[in-house]
Coordinates of all heavy atoms in Angstrom, one line a residue:
M1 N -20.6 -195.7 -87.4 CA -19.7 -196.6 -86.8 C -20.4 -197.2 -85.6 O -21.1 -196.5 -84.9 CB -18.4 -196.0 -86.3 CG -17.4 -195.9 -87.4 SD -15.8 -195.4 -86.7 CE -15.0 -197.0 -86.8
R2 N -20.1 -198.4 -85.3 CA -20.7 -199.1 -84.2 C -19.8 -198.9 -83.0 O -18.6 -198.9 -83.0 CB -20.7 -200.6 -84.5 CG -21.4 -201.4 -83.5 CD -21.5 -202.8 -84.0 NE -20.3 -203.5 -83.5 CZ -20.3 -204.8 -83.2 NH1 -21.4 -205.6 -83.4 NH2 -19.2 -205.4 -82.7
R3 N -20.4 -198.6 -81.9 CA -19.7 -198.4 -80.6 C -19.6 -199.7 -79.8 O -20.5 -200.5 -79.8 CB -20.5 -197.4 -79.8 CG -20.6 -196.0 -80.4 CD -21.3 -195.0 -79.5 NE -20.4 -194.8 -78.3 CZ -20.9 -194.2 -77.3 NH1 -22.1 -193.7 -77.2 NH2 -20.1 -194.0 -76.2
L4 N -18.4 -199.9 -79.3 CA -18.2 -201.0 -78.4 C -18.8 -200.8 -77.1 O -18.7 -199.7 -76.5 CB -16.7 -201.3 -78.3 CG -16.0 -201.7 -79.6 CD1 -14.5 -201.8 -79.3 CD2 -16.5 -203.0 -80.1
R5 N -19.3 -201.9 -76.5 CA -19.9 -201.8 -75.2 C -18.7 -201.7 -74.2 O -17.7 -202.3 -74.4 CB -20.7 -203.0 -74.9 CG -22.0 -203.1 -75.7 CD -22.8 -204.2 -75.3 NE -24.0 -204.3 -76.1 CZ -25.0 -205.1 -75.8 NH1 -25.0 -205.9 -74.8 NH2 -26.0 -205.1 -76.6
S6 N -19.0 -201.0 -73.1 CA -17.9 -200.9 -72.1 C -17.5 -202.2 -71.5 O -16.3 -202.4 -71.3 CB -18.3 -199.9 -71.0 OG -19.5 -200.5 -70.3
S7 N -18.4 -203.2 -71.4 CA -18.0 -204.5 -70.9 C -17.0 -205.2 -71.8 O -16.1 -205.9 -71.4 CB -19.2 -205.3 -70.6 OG -20.0 -205.6 -71.8
T8 N -17.2 -205.0 -73.2 CA -16.4 -205.7 -74.1 C -15.0 -205.1 -74.1 O -14.0 -205.8 -74.1 CB -16.9 -205.4 -75.6 OG1 -18.3 -205.9 -75.6 CG2 -16.1 -206.1 -76.6
V9 N -14.9 -203.8 -73.9 CA -13.6 -203.1 -73.8 C -12.9 -203.5 -72.5 O -11.7 -203.9 -72.5 CB -13.8 -201.6 -73.8 CG1 -12.4 -200.9 -73.6 CG2 -14.3 -201.1 -75.2
V10 N -13.6 -203.6 -71.4 CA -13.0 -204.0 -70.1 C -12.5 -205.4 -70.2 O -11.4 -205.7 -69.8 CB -14.0 -203.8 -69.0 CG1 -13.5 -204.4 -67.7 CG2 -14.3 -202.3 -68.8
L11 N -13.3 -206.3 -70.7 CA -12.9 -207.7 -70.8 C -11.8 -207.9 -71.7 O -10.8 -208.7 -71.4 CB -14.1 -208.6 -71.2 CG -15.2 -208.8 -70.2 CD1 -16.4 -209.6 -70.8 CD2 -14.7 -209.5 -68.9
G12 N -11.7 -207.2 -72.8 CA -10.6 -207.3 -73.7 C -9.3 -206.8 -73.1 O -8.3 -207.4 -73.2
G13 N -9.4 -205.7 -72.4 CA -8.3 -205.1 -71.7 C -7.8 -206.0 -70.6 O -6.6 -206.2 -70.4
M14 N -8.7 -206.7 -69.9 CA -8.3 -207.6 -68.8 C -7.6 -208.8 -69.4 O -6.6 -209.3 -68.8 CB -9.5 -208.0 -68.0 CG -10.0 -206.9 -67.1 SD -11.4 -207.3 -66.2 CE -10.8 -208.6 -65.1
G15 N -8.0 -209.3 -70.6 CA -7.4 -210.4 -71.2 C -5.9 -210.1 -71.6 O -5.0 -210.9 -71.4
V16 N -5.7 -208.9 -72.2 CA -4.4 -208.5 -72.6 C -3.5 -208.3 -71.3 O -2.3 -208.8 -71.3 CB -4.4 -207.2 -73.4 CG1 -3.0 -206.6 -73.6 CG2 -5.1 -207.4 -74.7
L17 N -4.0 -207.8 -70.3 CA -3.3 -207.6 -69.0 C -2.9 -209.0 -68.5 O -1.8 -209.2 -68.0 CB -4.1 -206.8 -68.0 CG -3.5 -206.6 -66.7 CD1 -2.2 -205.8 -66.8 CD2 -4.4 -205.9 -65.7
A18 N -3.9 -209.9 -68.4 CA -3.6 -211.2 -67.9 C -2.5 -211.9 -68.7 O -1.6 -212.6 -68.2 CB -4.8 -212.1 -67.9
L19 N -2.5 -211.8 -70.0 CA -1.5 -212.4 -70.9 C -0.2 -211.8 -70.6 O 0.8 -212.5 -70.5 CB -1.9 -212.2 -72.4 CG -0.9 -212.7 -73.4 CD1 -0.8 -214.2 -73.3 CD2 -1.4 -212.3 -74.8
T20 N -0.1 -210.5 -70.5 CA 1.2 -209.8 -70.2 C 1.7 -210.3 -68.9 O 2.9 -210.6 -68.8 CB 1.0 -208.3 -70.2 OG1 0.4 -207.9 -71.5 CG2 2.3 -207.6 -70.0
I21 N 0.9 -210.3 -67.8 CA 1.4 -210.7 -66.5 C 1.9 -212.2 -66.5 O 2.9 -212.5 -66.0 CB 0.3 -210.5 -65.4 CG1 0.1 -209.0 -65.3 CG2 0.7 -211.1 -64.1 CD1 -1.1 -208.6 -64.4
T22 N 1.1 -213.0 -67.1 CA 1.5 -214.4 -67.1 C 2.8 -214.7 -67.9 O 3.6 -215.5 -67.5 CB 0.4 -215.3 -67.7 OG1 -0.9 -214.7 -67.6 CG2 0.4 -216.7 -67.2
A23 N 2.9 -214.0 -69.0 CA 4.1 -214.3 -69.9 C 5.3 -213.7 -69.2 O 6.4 -214.3 -69.3 CB 3.9 -213.6 -71.2
C24 N 5.2 -212.6 -68.6 CA 6.4 -212.0 -68.0 C 6.8 -212.7 -66.7 O 8.0 -212.8 -66.4 CB 6.2 -210.5 -67.6 SG 6.1 -209.5 -69.0
G25 N 5.9 -213.3 -66.0 CA 6.2 -213.9 -64.7 C 6.4 -215.4 -64.8 O 6.6 -216.1 -63.8
S26 N 6.4 -215.9 -66.0 CA 6.4 -217.4 -66.1 C 7.9 -217.9 -65.9 O 8.8 -217.2 -66.2 CB 5.9 -217.8 -67.5 OG 6.8 -217.3 -68.5
E27 N 7.9 -219.0 -65.4 CA 9.2 -219.7 -65.1 C 9.6 -220.5 -66.4 O 8.7 -221.0 -67.0 CB 9.1 -220.6 -63.9 CG 9.0 -219.8 -62.6 CD 10.2 -219.1 -62.2 OE1 11.3 -219.7 -62.4 OE2 10.1 -218.0 -61.7
P28 N 10.8 -220.7 -66.6 CA 11.2 -221.6 -67.7 C 10.9 -223.1 -67.3 O 10.7 -223.4 -66.2 CB 12.7 -221.4 -67.9 CG 13.1 -220.9 -66.6 CD 12.0 -220.1 -66.0
D29 N 10.7 -223.9 -68.4 CA 10.5 -225.3 -68.1 C 11.6 -225.9 -67.2 O 12.8 -225.5 -67.4 CB 10.5 -226.1 -69.4 CG 9.2 -225.8 -70.2 OD1 8.2 -225.3 -69.6 OD2 9.3 -226.1 -71.4
K30 N 11.3 -226.7 -66.3 CA 12.3 -227.3 -65.4 C 12.2 -228.8 -65.5 O 11.1 -229.4 -65.3 CB 12.0 -226.8 -63.9 CG 12.9 -227.4 -62.9 CD 12.8 -226.7 -61.6 CE 11.7 -227.3 -60.7 NZ 11.7 -226.8 -59.3
R31 N 13.3 -229.4 -65.8 CA 13.4 -230.9 -65.9 C 14.5 -231.4 -65.1 O 15.5 -230.8 -64.9 CB 13.7 -231.3 -67.4 CG 12.7 -230.8 -68.4 CD 13.1 -231.1 -69.8 NE 12.1 -230.7 -70.8 CZ 12.0 -229.5 -71.3 NH1 12.8 -228.6 -71.0 NH2 11.0 -229.3 -72.2
C32 N 14.4 -232.7 -64.6 CA 15.4 -233.3 -63.9 C 16.3 -234.0 -65.0 O 15.8 -234.8 -65.8 CB 14.8 -234.4 -63.0 SG 16.1 -235.2 -61.9
V33 N 17.6 -233.8 -64.9 CA 18.5 -234.2 -66.0 C 19.8 -234.8 -65.3 O 20.3 -234.2 -64.3 CB 18.8 -233.1 -66.9 CG1 19.9 -233.4 -67.9 CG2 17.6 -232.6 -67.7
D34 N 20.4 -235.8 -65.9 CA 21.7 -236.3 -65.5 C 22.7 -235.3 -66.1 O 22.8 -235.1 -67.3 CB 22.0 -237.6 -66.1 CG 23.3 -238.2 -65.7 OD1 24.3 -237.5 -65.7 OD2 23.4 -239.4 -65.4
P35 N 23.5 -234.6 -65.3 CA 24.4 -233.6 -65.8 C 25.5 -234.1 -66.7 O 26.0 -233.3 -67.6 CB 25.1 -233.0 -64.5 CG 24.3 -233.5 -63.4 CD 23.6 -234.7 -63.8
L36 N 25.9 -235.3 -66.6 CA 26.9 -235.8 -67.5 C 26.4 -236.3 -68.9 O 26.9 -235.9 -69.9 CB 27.6 -237.0 -66.8 CG 28.3 -236.6 -65.5 CD1 28.9 -237.9 -64.9 CD2 29.4 -235.6 -65.8
S37 N 25.3 -237.0 -68.9 CA 24.8 -237.6 -70.1 C 23.7 -236.7 -70.7 O 23.3 -236.9 -71.9 CB 24.2 -239.0 -69.9 OG 23.0 -238.9 -69.1
R38 N 23.2 -235.7 -70.0 CA 22.0 -234.8 -70.3 C 20.8 -235.6 -70.7 O 19.9 -235.2 -71.4 CB 22.4 -234.0 -71.5 CG 23.6 -233.1 -71.2 CD 23.3 -231.7 -71.5 NE 24.4 -230.8 -71.0 CZ 24.4 -229.6 -71.2 NH1 23.5 -229.0 -71.9 NH2 25.4 -228.8 -70.8
E39 N 20.6 -236.8 -70.0 CA 19.5 -237.6 -70.2 C 18.4 -237.2 -69.2 O 18.7 -236.9 -68.0 CB 19.8 -239.1 -69.9 CG 18.7 -240.0 -70.0 CD 19.1 -241.5 -69.6 OE1 20.3 -241.7 -69.4 OE2 18.2 -242.3 -69.5
E40 N 17.2 -237.1 -69.7 CA 16.1 -236.7 -68.8 C 15.8 -237.8 -67.8 O 15.7 -239.0 -68.2 CB 14.8 -236.3 -69.6 CG 13.7 -235.7 -68.8 CD 12.6 -235.2 -69.6 OE1 12.4 -235.7 -70.7 OE2 11.8 -234.3 -69.1
L41 N 15.6 -237.4 -66.5 CA 15.4 -238.4 -65.5 C 14.0 -238.1 -64.8 O 13.5 -237.0 -64.9 CB 16.5 -238.3 -64.4 CG 17.9 -238.5 -64.9 CD1 18.9 -238.1 -63.7 CD2 18.1 -239.9 -65.3
P42 N 13.5 -239.1 -64.0 CA 12.3 -238.8 -63.2 C 12.6 -237.8 -62.2 O 13.7 -237.6 -61.7 CB 12.0 -240.2 -62.5 CG 12.9 -241.2 -63.3 CD 14.0 -240.5 -63.9
R43 N 11.6 -237.0 -61.9 CA 11.7 -235.8 -61.0 C 12.3 -236.2 -59.6 O 13.1 -235.5 -59.0 CB 10.4 -235.1 -60.8 CG 10.5 -233.9 -60.0 CD 9.2 -233.1 -59.9 NE 8.8 -232.5 -61.2 CZ 9.3 -231.4 -61.7 NH1 10.2 -230.7 -61.1 NH2 8.9 -231.0 -62.9
Y44 N 12.0 -237.4 -59.1 CA 12.5 -237.8 -57.8 C 14.0 -237.9 -57.8 O 14.6 -237.9 -56.7 CB 11.9 -239.1 -57.3 CG 12.2 -240.4 -58.1 CD1 13.4 -241.0 -57.8 CD2 11.3 -240.8 -59.1 CE1 13.7 -242.2 -58.6 CE2 11.7 -242.0 -59.8 CZ 12.8 -242.7 -59.5 OH 13.1 -243.8 -60.2
E45 N 14.7 -238.1 -58.9 CA 16.1 -238.2 -59.0 C 16.8 -236.8 -58.6 O 17.9 -236.8 -58.3 CB 16.6 -238.6 -60.4 CG 16.3 -240.0 -60.8 CD 17.2 -241.0 -60.1 OE1 18.2 -240.6 -59.4 OE2 17.0 -242.2 -60.3
C46 N 16.0 -235.7 -58.7 CA 16.5 -234.4 -58.3 C 16.1 -234.0 -57.0 O 16.7 -233.1 -56.4 CB 16.1 -233.4 -59.4 SG 16.9 -233.5 -60.9
E47 N 15.0 -234.5 -56.4 CA 14.4 -234.0 -55.2 C 15.2 -234.5 -53.9 O 14.9 -233.9 -52.9 CB 13.0 -234.5 -55.2 CG 12.2 -233.7 -56.2 CD 10.7 -234.2 -56.2 OE1 10.4 -235.2 -55.6 OE2 10.0 -233.5 -57.0
S48 N 16.1 -235.4 -54.0 CA 16.8 -235.8 -52.8 C 18.1 -235.1 -52.5 O 18.9 -235.6 -51.8 CB 17.0 -237.3 -52.8 OG 17.8 -237.7 -53.9
G49 N 18.3 -234.0 -53.2 CA 19.5 -233.2 -52.8 C 20.4 -232.8 -53.9 O 21.4 -232.2 -53.7
G50 N 20.0 -233.1 -55.2 CA 20.8 -232.6 -56.3 C 22.2 -233.1 -56.4 O 23.1 -232.3 -56.6
G51 N 22.5 -234.4 -56.1 CA 23.8 -234.9 -56.2 C 24.6 -235.1 -54.9 O 25.7 -235.6 -54.9
S52 N 24.0 -234.6 -53.8 CA 24.7 -234.7 -52.6 C 24.1 -235.9 -51.8 O 23.0 -236.3 -52.0 CB 24.6 -233.4 -51.8 OG 23.2 -233.1 -51.6
D53 N 24.8 -236.3 -50.8 CA 24.4 -237.4 -49.9 C 23.2 -236.9 -49.1 O 23.2 -235.8 -48.6 CB 25.5 -237.8 -48.9 CG 26.6 -238.6 -49.7 OD1 26.3 -239.1 -50.8 OD2 27.7 -238.7 -49.1
D54 N 22.2 -237.7 -48.9 CA 21.1 -237.4 -48.0 C 21.3 -238.1 -46.7 O 22.4 -238.7 -46.5 CB 19.7 -237.7 -48.6 CG 19.5 -239.2 -48.9 OD1 20.3 -240.0 -48.4 OD2 18.6 -239.5 -49.7
D55 N 20.3 -238.1 -45.8 CA 20.5 -238.7 -44.5 C 20.8 -240.2 -44.5 O 21.3 -240.8 -43.6 CB 19.3 -238.4 -43.6 CG 19.2 -236.9 -43.3 OD1 20.2 -236.2 -43.4 OD2 18.1 -236.5 -42.9
N56 N 20.3 -240.9 -45.6 CA 20.4 -242.3 -45.7 C 21.7 -242.7 -46.4 O 22.0 -243.9 -46.6 CB 19.3 -242.9 -46.4 CG 18.0 -242.7 -45.7 OD1 17.9 -242.6 -44.5 ND2 16.9 -242.5 -46.5
G57 N 22.5 -241.8 -46.8 CA 23.8 -242.1 -47.4 C 23.6 -242.3 -48.9 O 24.6 -242.6 -49.6
S58 N 22.4 -242.2 -49.5 CA 22.3 -242.4 -50.9 C 22.4 -241.0 -51.6 O 22.3 -240.0 -51.0 CB 20.9 -243.0 -51.2 OG 19.9 -242.1 -50.8
T59 N 22.7 -241.1 -52.9 CA 22.9 -239.9 -53.6 C 21.9 -239.8 -54.7 O 21.4 -240.8 -55.3 CB 24.3 -239.8 -54.3 OG1 24.5 -240.9 -55.2 CG2 25.4 -239.8 -53.2
S60 N 21.5 -238.6 -55.0 CA 20.6 -238.4 -56.2 C 21.5 -238.2 -57.4 O 22.7 -237.7 -57.3 CB 19.7 -237.2 -56.0 OG 20.5 -236.0 -55.9
R61 N 21.0 -238.5 -58.5 CA 21.8 -238.5 -59.8 C 21.5 -237.3 -60.6 O 22.4 -237.0 -61.5 CB 21.3 -239.8 -60.5 CG 21.8 -240.0 -61.8 CD 21.3 -241.4 -62.2 NE 21.3 -241.4 -63.7 CZ 20.6 -242.1 -64.5 NH1 19.8 -243.0 -64.0 NH2 20.8 -242.0 -65.7
G62 N 20.4 -236.5 -60.4 CA 20.1 -235.5 -61.3 C 20.2 -234.1 -60.8 O 20.3 -233.9 -59.6
S63 N 20.2 -233.1 -61.7 CA 20.1 -231.7 -61.4 C 19.0 -231.1 -62.3 O 18.7 -231.6 -63.3 CB 21.4 -231.0 -61.7 OG 22.5 -231.5 -60.9
Y64 N 18.5 -230.0 -61.8 CA 17.4 -229.3 -62.6 C 18.0 -228.6 -63.8 O 19.0 -227.9 -63.7 CB 16.6 -228.4 -61.8 CG 15.6 -229.1 -60.9 CD1 15.8 -229.1 -59.5 CD2 14.6 -229.9 -61.4 CE1 14.9 -229.8 -58.7 CE2 13.7 -230.6 -60.6 CZ 13.9 -230.5 -59.2 OH 13.0 -231.2 -58.4
Y65 N 17.4 -228.8 -64.9 CA 17.8 -228.2 -66.2 C 16.6 -227.3 -66.6 O 15.5 -227.7 -66.7 CB 18.0 -229.3 -67.2 CG 18.6 -228.8 -68.5 CD1 20.0 -228.7 -68.6 CD2 17.8 -228.6 -69.6 CE1 20.6 -228.3 -69.8 CE2 18.4 -228.2 -70.9 CZ 19.8 -228.1 -70.9 OH 20.3 -227.7 -72.1
Y66 N 16.9 -226.1 -67.0 CA 15.8 -225.1 -67.3 C 15.8 -224.7 -68.8 O 16.8 -224.5 -69.4 CB 16.1 -223.8 -66.5 CG 16.1 -224.1 -65.0 CD1 17.3 -224.4 -64.3 CD2 14.9 -224.1 -64.3 CE1 17.2 -224.6 -62.9 CE2 14.9 -224.3 -62.9 CZ 16.0 -224.6 -62.3 OH 16.0 -224.9 -60.9
G67 N 14.6 -224.7 -69.3 CA 14.4 -224.3 -70.7 C 14.8 -225.4 -71.6 O 14.9 -226.6 -71.2
G68 N 15.1 -225.1 -72.9 CA 15.5 -226.0 -73.8 C 14.4 -226.9 -74.3 O 13.3 -226.7 -74.1
S69 N 14.8 -228.0 -74.9 CA 13.9 -229.0 -75.4 C 14.5 -230.4 -75.2 O 15.6 -230.6 -74.9 CB 13.6 -228.8 -76.9 OG 14.8 -228.9 -77.6
V70 N 13.6 -231.4 -75.4 CA 13.9 -232.8 -75.2 C 13.8 -233.5 -76.5 O 12.7 -233.4 -77.2 CB 13.0 -233.5 -74.2 CG1 13.4 -234.9 -74.0 CG2 13.1 -232.8 -72.8
R71 N 14.8 -234.2 -76.9 CA 14.7 -235.1 -78.1 C 15.4 -236.4 -77.8 O 16.6 -236.4 -77.4 CB 15.4 -234.4 -79.3 CG 15.2 -235.1 -80.6 CD 15.7 -234.4 -81.8 NE 15.5 -235.2 -83.0 CZ 15.9 -234.8 -84.1 NH1 16.5 -233.6 -84.3 NH2 15.7 -235.6 -85.2
D72 N 14.7 -237.5 -78.1 CA 15.3 -238.8 -77.8 C 15.8 -238.9 -76.3 O 16.9 -239.4 -76.1 CB 16.4 -239.2 -78.8 CG 15.9 -239.2 -80.2 OD1 14.7 -239.6 -80.4 OD2 16.7 -238.9 -81.1
S73 N 15.0 -238.4 -75.4 CA 15.3 -238.4 -74.0 C 16.5 -237.6 -73.6 O 17.0 -237.7 -72.4 CB 15.4 -239.8 -73.5 OG 14.2 -240.5 -73.6
R74 N 17.0 -236.7 -74.4 CA 18.2 -235.9 -74.1 C 17.7 -234.4 -74.3 O 17.0 -234.1 -75.2 CB 19.3 -236.2 -75.0 CG 19.8 -237.6 -74.9 CD 21.2 -237.8 -75.0 NE 21.6 -239.2 -75.0 CZ 21.9 -239.9 -74.0 NH1 21.7 -239.4 -72.8 NH2 22.2 -241.2 -74.1
V75 N 18.3 -233.6 -73.4 CA 17.9 -232.2 -73.4 C 19.0 -231.4 -74.1 O 20.2 -231.8 -74.2 CB 17.7 -231.6 -72.0 CG1 16.6 -232.3 -71.3 CG2 19.0 -231.8 -71.1
S76 N 18.6 -230.2 -74.7 CA 19.5 -229.3 -75.3 C 18.9 -227.9 -75.4 O 17.7 -227.8 -75.3 CB 19.9 -229.8 -76.7 OG 18.8 -229.8 -77.5
G77 N 19.7 -226.9 -75.5 CA 19.2 -225.6 -75.7 C 18.8 -224.8 -74.4 O 18.3 -223.7 -74.5
G78 N 19.1 -225.4 -73.2 CA 18.8 -224.7 -72.0 C 20.0 -224.6 -71.1 O 21.1 -224.5 -71.6
S79 N 19.8 -224.6 -69.8 CA 21.0 -224.4 -68.9 C 20.6 -224.9 -67.5 O 19.5 -225.0 -67.2 CB 21.2 -222.9 -68.8 OG 22.3 -222.6 -67.8
F80 N 21.6 -225.3 -66.8 CA 21.5 -225.7 -65.4 C 21.3 -224.5 -64.5 O 21.0 -224.7 -63.4 CB 22.6 -226.6 -65.0 CG 22.6 -228.0 -65.6 CD1 23.4 -228.3 -66.6 CD2 21.7 -229.0 -65.1 CE1 23.4 -229.6 -67.2 CE2 21.7 -230.2 -65.7 CZ 22.5 -230.5 -66.7
D81 N 21.6 -223.3 -65.0 CA 21.5 -222.1 -64.3 C 20.1 -221.4 -64.7 O 20.0 -221.0 -65.8 CB 22.6 -221.2 -64.6 CG 22.5 -219.8 -63.9 OD1 21.7 -219.7 -63.0 OD2 23.4 -219.0 -64.2
R82 N 19.2 -221.4 -63.8 CA 17.8 -220.8 -64.1 C 17.9 -219.4 -64.6 O 17.2 -219.0 -65.4 CB 16.9 -220.9 -62.9 CG 15.5 -220.5 -63.2 CD 14.6 -220.7 -62.0 NE 15.0 -220.1 -60.8 CZ 14.5 -219.0 -60.3 NH1 13.5 -218.4 -60.9 NH2 14.9 -218.4 -59.2
T83 N 18.8 -218.6 -64.0 CA 18.9 -217.2 -64.4 C 19.4 -217.0 -65.8 O 19.3 -215.9 -66.3 CB 19.7 -216.4 -63.3 OG1 21.0 -216.9 -63.3 CG2 19.1 -216.5 -62.0
A84 N 20.1 -218.0 -66.3 CA 20.7 -217.8 -67.7 C 19.7 -218.1 -68.8 O 20.0 -217.9 -70.0 CB 21.8 -218.8 -67.8
V85 N 18.4 -218.5 -68.4 CA 17.4 -218.9 -69.4 C 16.5 -217.8 -69.6 O 15.9 -217.2 -68.7 CB 16.7 -220.2 -69.0 CG1 15.6 -220.5 -70.0 CG2 17.6 -221.3 -68.8
D86 N 16.3 -217.4 -70.9 CA 15.3 -216.3 -71.2 C 13.9 -216.8 -71.2 O 13.6 -217.7 -71.9 CB 15.7 -215.8 -72.6 CG 14.8 -214.7 -73.1 OD1 14.1 -214.1 -72.3 OD2 14.8 -214.4 -74.3
T87 N 13.1 -216.3 -70.3 CA 11.7 -216.7 -70.2 C 10.9 -216.0 -71.3 O 9.8 -216.4 -71.6 CB 11.1 -216.4 -68.9 OG1 11.2 -215.0 -68.6 CG2 11.7 -217.2 -67.8
G88 N 11.4 -214.9 -71.8 CA 10.7 -214.2 -72.9 C 9.3 -213.8 -72.6 O 8.9 -213.6 -71.5
G89 N 8.4 -213.8 -73.6 CA 7.0 -213.5 -73.4 C 6.6 -212.1 -74.0 O 7.5 -211.3 -74.4
F90 N 5.4 -211.9 -74.1 CA 4.8 -210.7 -74.6 C 5.1 -209.5 -73.8 O 4.8 -209.5 -72.6 CB 3.3 -210.9 -74.7 CG 2.6 -209.7 -75.2 CD1 2.6 -209.4 -76.6 CD2 1.8 -208.9 -74.4 CE1 1.9 -208.3 -77.1 CE2 1.2 -207.8 -74.9 CZ 1.2 -207.5 -76.2
G91 N 5.8 -208.5 -74.3 CA 6.1 -207.3 -73.6 C 7.2 -207.4 -72.6 O 7.4 -206.5 -71.8
C92 N 7.9 -208.4 -72.6 CA 9.0 -208.6 -71.7 C 10.4 -208.4 -72.3 O 10.5 -208.8 -73.5 CB 9.0 -210.0 -71.0 SG 7.5 -210.4 -70.2
S93 N 11.3 -208.0 -71.5 CA 12.7 -208.0 -72.0 C 13.5 -208.9 -71.1 O 13.4 -208.8 -69.9 CB 13.3 -206.6 -72.0 OG 13.3 -206.1 -70.7
G94 N 14.1 -209.9 -71.7 CA 14.9 -210.8 -70.9 C 16.3 -210.9 -71.5 O 16.6 -210.4 -72.5
S95 N 17.1 -211.5 -70.7 CA 18.5 -211.7 -71.1 C 18.7 -213.2 -71.4 O 18.2 -214.1 -70.7 CB 19.5 -211.3 -70.0 OG 19.3 -212.0 -68.9
S96 N 19.4 -213.5 -72.4 CA 19.7 -214.9 -72.7 C 21.1 -215.2 -72.4 O 22.0 -214.3 -72.5 CB 19.3 -215.2 -74.2 OG 20.1 -214.4 -75.0
G97 N 21.4 -216.4 -72.1 CA 22.8 -216.7 -71.8 C 23.1 -218.1 -72.1 O 22.2 -218.8 -72.7
G98 N 24.2 -218.6 -71.8 CA 24.6 -219.9 -72.2 C 24.8 -220.8 -71.1 O 24.6 -221.8 -70.7

């Protein structure tokens, strides 16, 4: 049998470790969305306060939507609550919600 070099074993192990850490610590996709129509909006629509008045008296129209997918500029399958979205990943246990 052929013996593996120690550097091959170390590099392979580090790759698996990096994959595990990245998958477990990853955040769900975050999109700016109109809460009523569920239409995807430009990010700046969420950055001025999430629907509340800013100092200039203008309001932002969007809220952040986590996870899910976009089809025809509309989102589905995610949540406006980041903690309700399962980030999943290799070796992780997550909770899914609605």
Side-chain angles (χ1 to χ4, degrees):
M1 276 193 105
R2 191 173 86 149
R3 294 183 68 192
L4 294 176
R5 293 183 181 192
S6 61
S7 61
T8 304
V9 173
V10 169
L11 289 175
M14 288 178 66
V16 169
L17 179 63
L19 177 64
T20 303
I21 290 171
T22 331
C24 289
S26 65
E27 292 289 319
D29 291 339
K30 180 169 88 170
R31 298 173 177 88
C32 185
V33 172
D34 182 319
L36 298 176
S37 69
R38 299 233 173 174
E39 177 185 355
E40 189 172 23
L41 302 171
R43 187 172 293 278
Y44 68 82
E45 290 282 356
C46 287
E47 291 176 351
S48 62
S52 60
D53 289 339
D54 62 15
D55 292 340
N56 298 326
S58 63
T59 59
S60 64
R61 173 178 158 199
S63 295
Y64 285 114
Y65 188 84
Y66 300 92
S69 60
V70 180
R71 184 173 180 183
D72 298 327
S73 297
R74 303 219 186 269
V75 295
S76 64
S79 175
F80 287 102
D81 179 10
R82 183 174 60 105
T83 59
V85 178
D86 180 15
T87 57
F90 177 75
C92 300
S93 62
S95 61
S96 60

